[in-house]
Amino acid sequence: MKELELTAGPAADPAPPPRAPRLHYGWIVVAVSLVVLVGSAGFRSTPSLMMDALHNEFGWSRATISSAVSVNLALYGLTAPFAAALMDRFGVRLVVVCALLTISTGAGLTVLMTEPWQLVLCWGVLVGLGSGSMAGAFATTISGRWFEARQGLVTGVLTAAGAAGNLVFLPLLAALVEQQGWRTAVVVVSLCATAVAVPVLLLMRERPADLGLLPYGATEAPAPPRTDGSAVARSLRVLREAARTRAFWLLAASFAICGATTVGLVGTHFVQAAHDHGMSETTSASLLALIGVFDIAGTIASGWFTDRFAPARLLIAYYALRGLSLLFLPALFGDSLRPPILAFVIFYGLDWVATVPPTVALCRRHFGPDAPIVFGWVLAAHQVGAALVAGLAGLARDRFGDYDAAWYAAGGLCAVAVLCCVAVRRVPEPTAAAA
């Protein structure tokens, strides 16, 4: 017996359990997504810098040029819900790479254009479709797949990428348009869109389960996703179901006003409006980029607030403050940098897209697993509002010689958004059984 004990030796220690990685791969996916969204935002904003250049070279009116921006903004929103379903069906990596190459093609072809319809086709349709495939539904998909905890913060960080894109690209592209011509600027956009596809191909992963992980902060694996059927059919089915609810229409209406008062008006026409008052385009583009600096802080803070406070209350405060700032804006413009316009830039920047995290949170509360697609449709309303105001503000500028009427109207629209958010607070959330 002793010999057996000696030869058997001591019992082997049980294998230690696998240690969780120090850095959850979800944060790497967020970093890649951030690069994509920074580029997408910067690429989309380029036409606002080319209005004078295209007007001077081709004689096109600002309303004509704004029509291309309107098509871009509308498709940016209308593409989002279908892109969210396509990401579920074919994968995030494939959809994003195809979108970036579409942007690159659309921007590159504009150097050959000679007619307004070509601007609409290249920058309106192609760049609109490409950038729309990486719109807010992309951020909602990433935060929902990879994070159980910190969803509001991650949504805020990814939403802030739009502001960061303006910060990175607007001053550079404005200087290129002014010094080298608009063709150089669009070539740079085309090359950058292609370059951004590289980290997506190398580092993007579809879901935590692909790496044997749970979503960040989760204690159990989520239900397997539905990947069967047509992405288009699923998007339309979700729209039909959501459209039967009051919450959807209130969120869509308030977010349409958000788009009208941000990318539709300020994002498209701020540079031109400041230039009308004697400010150089480079300076006014830098101010628009500075709005982006404070937008980053405001949106990340809004994500943090959304994890802790009632989202509808946050939206009421955001729209009320935005409306007040727009009513004061016509009196703040000047031919140089002065404290009043800098105060507007700081204040408005903090509020720019702070509305996104609480709107996403309300979509999750009311629509559950379909929230990314529902938010895609809400974002479509956002972009339709932006497209309408981008075109109407260009018409107002041609008709009245300034943008004052547009600023005052936008302030009034924000009051309507406040009423929508007051109403959405009274809509009961669906029960677990109903969901």
Side-chain angles (χ1 to χ4, degrees), residues 13-22 212:
D13 292 334
R19 290 190 304 172
R22 291 183 180 179

Side-chain angles (χ1 to χ4, degrees), residues 80-407:
F82 298 103
L86 286 169
M87 288 175 187
D88 283 343
R89 181 73 176 83
F90 298 107
V92 171
R93 181 160 50 182
L94 177 62
V95 172
V96 170
V97 169
C98 290
L100 288 167
L101 295 179
T102 301
I103 291 175
S104 178
T105 301
L109 288 176
T110 54
V111 300
L112 305 175
M113 69 183 178
T114 56
E115 299 292 336
W117 68 266
Q118 294 166 342
L119 176 66
V120 172
L121 174 63
C122 293
W123 216 278
V125 176
L126 292 178
V127 176
L129 288 173
S131 57
S133 299
M134 299 174 295
F138 172 50
T140 309
T141 298
I142 294 299
S143 61
R145 284 187 184 183
W146 287 88
F147 291 84
E148 181 71 27
R150 304 288 189 270
Q151 282 188 348
L153 178 62
V154 172
T155 302
V157 169
L158 293 179
T159 304
N166 287 336
L167 172 64
V168 171
F169 283 96
L170 277 175
L172 170 64
L173 294 174
L176 286 174
V177 170
E178 191 170 310
Q179 297 171 17
Q180 305 294 328
W182 64 268
R183 288 179 176 82
T184 300
V186 298
V187 168
V188 169
V189 167
S190 180
L191 293 175
C192 288
T194 303
V196 169
V198 175
V200 177
L201 286 170
L202 294 178
L203 298 173
M204 180 63 72
R205 298 293 182 269
E206 297 300 329
R207 299 176 185 276
D210 296 344
L211 301 174
L213 299 173
L214 294 176
Y216 181 86
T219 56
E220 58 183 23
R226 287 184 57 186
T227 58
D228 58 328
S230 164
V232 172
R234 184 184 174 205
S235 298
L236 295 175
R237 175 184 60 78
V238 170
L239 174 61
R240 285 195 302 271
E241 294 172 357
R244 299 190 186 109
T245 68
R246 188 181 176 204
F248 173 79
W249 290 109
L250 291 170
L251 290 171
S254 63
F255 219 45
I257 293 171
C258 177
T261 54
T262 53
V263 291
L265 183 57
V266 176
T268 303
H269 294 283
F270 181 86
V271 173
Q272 180 63 45
H275 188 56
D276 287 345
H277 288 79
M279 189 178 292
S280 73
E281 290 187 0
T282 301
T283 302
S284 55
S286 297
L287 280 177
L288 191 58
L290 188 60
I291 287 177
V293 175
F294 290 97
D295 184 17
I296 294 170
T299 307
I300 293 174
S302 179
W304 188 86
F305 292 148
T306 301
D307 287 332
R308 290 161 176 80
F309 302 107
R313 289 180 181 269
L314 293 175
L315 289 175
I316 290 168
Y318 296 159
Y319 285 121
L321 294 172
R322 180 183 300 177
L324 288 173
S325 68
L326 288 170
L327 290 174
F328 282 107
L329 181 58
L332 305 181
F333 280 119
D335 59 0
S336 61
L337 288 178
R338 295 174 184 170
I341 194 65
L342 287 173
F344 169 83
V345 164
I346 294 169
F347 185 85
Y348 191 84
L350 290 171
D351 189 82
W352 178 277
V353 288
T355 55
V356 173
T359 302
V360 170
L362 288 170
C363 286
R364 286 199 177 106
R365 289 186 182 183
H366 287 280
F367 303 103
D370 289 329
I373 297 177
V374 173
F375 181 69
W377 286 112
V378 171
L379 181 64
H382 179 283
Q383 294 307 116
V384 169
L388 288 173
V389 169
L392 290 173
L395 288 172
R397 169 63 177 77
D398 288 341
R399 175 67 178 84
F400 302 113
D402 59 41
Y403 287 98
D404 289 2
W407 304 125

